[in-house]
Amino acid sequence: MIQYLTNNHVIVWQALQEHLYLALLPILFGFAIALPLGYLAVRFTWLYHPLINTFGVLYSIPSLALFVFLPVILGTKVLSPVNVVVALTIYTVALLARTVADGLRAVDPVVVQAATAMGYRRTRRLVDVELPIALPVILAGLRVATVSNISLVSVGSLIGIGGLGQLFTRGFQLFYLEPILIGVILSVVLAGIADLIIVLVQRAVTPWTRAA
Amino acid sequence: MNFSYLTDPAHWDPSNPGSIPNLILSHLGYTALALLIGAVIALPVGLYIGHTGKGSFIAINAGNAGRSLPTLGLLMLMVTLLGLGLLPVLIALTVLVIPPILTSAYAGMRNLDHRVVDAARGMGMRPWQVLSRVELPMALPIMLSGFRNAALQVVATATVAAAVGLGGLGRLLIDGLAVNDYSRVLAGAIVVAALAVLVDLFLALIQRLIVSPGLKGS
């Protein structure tokens, strides 16, 4: 395995970079879309169920099907990485919109009333009080989304998209174990590191959760 | 959009082994088999860990570890190790369903209201009765949501399994891409997506039917 790595480090390194980029871009987009959506679902309660159900259906669509279906809707080329990014963004939003809404709904109404009584207006109350309290729930959702995105990107190699999945298809075509094994290990390690980073960020930004 | 493959009656003829109904059947067959084997392995372990509290570490981390395993890599690894065929694919699919089933069985047992269990004991129920009449029914909603996750995961991965020579609906996607028959790819994507949604709805319905009405408070 070391031998394979030294001989192919350029390919492996490039695959790793593409993988990271294809997995994390959707997290950024997805988070940016899910925050307002989740908030709207809490603000207008009649929106909650339709929104959650719609995303529940989207989330259940298998990734390979979504990867090949999106070009029809978006007008992109089948081989375009945009399809993978959009598909993973959809999954991220599906997961996070729900956690954002559930996190905000779980904020103790007494705390919200106290903040209102102290003179917080709606927007500042949301940013300074409700979001921080909901943060542990939201970040737990973000961990799930990040880890599953990192493992899903590799399916994109079946439609010719880069990333660590390229090592799988390469190894499979040659019936050669090492690239597959390296790809699996790197993918799992990458997911573990990303997960750990979010945990550390969570510890840093929500110090009060450790006091309990 | 070209729906010609989907709407061609020849592709719906059950006597043709590669027709859509037959692909759906084989797809559901792999899914059911993997879920069955996975449940037989993971349910007792998850329930035991949840009931006794021994080995919680395994149950909590199994879920995360399972999510981080790249399904395609696992499939190709198994096939490269064991050769083409149903067995390596089934092993890979089973490995994928074990974590969500195990973790949810554990979580279901852990989140029980202990006062209810104490009350059941106080009423004179034997340990076996406590388990079968109180703990299991109360853990059921969480266990079933884990099972639904596992089912979705298998339906999706069974699609990917066509890339390593297995049948199922993934064949339409993989073969269609290989020969640039985009109409076939589209048919596959639509049928797979519909199947996944239907399987989830079906399991949601079962959940509604078998979960005790007393547990359905909002």
Side-chain angles (χ1 to χ4, degrees):
Chain A
M1 217 158 83
I2 303 296
Q3 184 70 39
Y4 183 89
L5 269 181
T6 44
N7 290 341
N8 297 280
H9 66 272
V10 179
I11 297 173
V12 174
W13 181 239
Q14 199 197 348
L16 193 65
Q17 282 176 311
E18 283 171 353
H19 198 90
L20 204 58
Y21 164 78
L22 287 171
L24 296 188
L25 215 53
I27 291 288
L28 289 179
F29 292 150
F31 197 51
I33 298 170
L35 266 181
L37 272 183
Y39 172 70
L40 287 177
V42 177
R43 174 87 192 274
F44 306 103
T45 37
W46 56 269
L47 257 176
Y48 182 82
H49 285 289
L51 202 74
I52 297 306
N53 290 336
T54 310
F55 279 116
V57 169
L58 285 176
Y59 193 70
S60 62
I61 298 174
S63 51
L64 186 59
L66 203 52
F67 288 166
V68 295
F69 189 63
L70 278 173
V72 183
I73 300 169
L74 302 173
T76 43
K77 289 204 178 79
V78 180
L79 288 176
S80 163
V82 173
N83 303 321
V84 173
V85 172
V86 173
L88 293 183
T89 304
I90 291 175
Y91 290 138
T92 309
V93 174
L95 209 81
L96 283 180
R98 185 180 187 146
T99 29
V100 170
D102 289 346
L104 287 176
R105 274 178 14 146
V107 175
D108 190 342
V110 176
V111 177
V112 180
Q113 283 164 15
T116 313
M118 283 172 68
Y120 277 93
R121 294 198 187 277
R122 200 194 296 275
T123 314
R124 265 204 67 205
R125 193 183 66 207
L126 178 71
V127 175
D128 288 354
V129 180
E130 292 167 72
L131 270 181
I133 293 178
L135 211 53
V137 178
I138 296 174
L139 287 180
L142 191 67
R143 285 174 65 188
V144 174
T146 308
V147 170
S148 49
N149 267 10
I150 288 175
S151 79
L152 272 179
V153 170
S154 53
V155 175
S157 67
L158 291 181
I159 50 164
I161 308 297
L164 292 169
Q166 292 288 343
L167 299 178
F168 303 155
T169 43
R170 179 189 301 255
F172 180 70
Q173 277 154 8
L174 306 170
F175 245 75
Y176 184 37
L177 203 59
E178 295 192 332
I180 306 180
L181 206 54
I182 289 170
V184 170
I185 293 171
L186 283 177
S187 180
V188 171
V189 168
L190 207 59
I193 294 174
D195 193 38
L196 190 70
I197 291 175
I198 301 176
V199 172
L200 291 177
V201 168
Q202 177 174 357
R203 284 175 70 96
V205 298
T206 60
W208 62 87
T209 54
R210 268 173 295 154
Chain B
M1 274 193 229
N2 179 353
F3 293 113
S4 56
Y5 194 93
L6 193 62
T7 50
D8 182 346
H11 297 139
W12 290 89
D13 177 10
S15 59
N16 171 7
S19 69
I20 294 173
N22 286 317
L23 292 177
I24 293 177
L25 276 183
S26 56
H27 203 101
L28 286 174
Y30 306 139
T31 306
L33 206 55
L35 279 172
L36 189 69
I37 301 172
V40 166
I41 299 171
L43 266 185
V45 179
L47 291 175
Y48 178 79
I49 297 178
H51 184 70
T52 60
K54 289 177 199 156
S56 306
F57 178 78
I58 304 172
I60 294 167
N61 287 291
N64 251 330
R67 254 195 300 277
S68 71
L69 265 182
T71 55
L72 181 68
L74 188 67
L75 276 170
M76 291 184 163
L77 194 68
M78 285 298 166
V79 173
T80 311
L81 276 173
L82 303 173
L84 288 169
L86 182 60
L87 185 69
V89 175
L90 210 52
I91 292 175
L93 293 179
T94 306
V95 166
L96 290 170
V97 301
I98 286 176
I101 296 181
L102 198 157
T103 308
S104 63
Y106 163 82
M109 291 298 273
R110 281 278 97 174
N111 287 334
L112 291 179
D113 186 343
H114 287 283
R115 287 171 303 182
V116 178
V117 179
D118 286 344
R121 281 209 198 96
M123 284 172 67
M125 285 192 175
R126 311 236 158 241
W128 180 249
Q129 290 176 315
V130 175
L131 182 73
S132 62
R133 296 200 195 159
V134 179
E135 292 183 302
L136 279 183
M138 284 179 68
L140 208 54
I142 296 182
M143 281 166 56
L144 285 175
S145 72
F147 195 77
R148 277 170 72 182
N149 276 339
L152 278 184
Q153 174 105 11
V154 190
V155 170
T157 311
T159 317
V160 175
V164 294
L166 204 68
L169 288 163
R171 284 259 63 86
L172 297 174
L173 300 175
I174 301 289
D175 297 343
L177 283 173
V179 299
N180 272 323
D181 177 359
Y182 209 73
S183 167
R184 194 189 312 186
V185 175
L186 190 65
I190 291 172
V191 177
V192 167
L195 187 73
V197 172
L198 286 177
V199 165
D200 196 43
L201 275 179
F202 175 71
L203 291 176
L205 190 70
I206 289 192
Q207 183 165 4
R208 187 169 288 194
L209 287 178
I210 67 175
V211 168
S212 159
L215 293 168
K216 279 180 198 147
S218 73

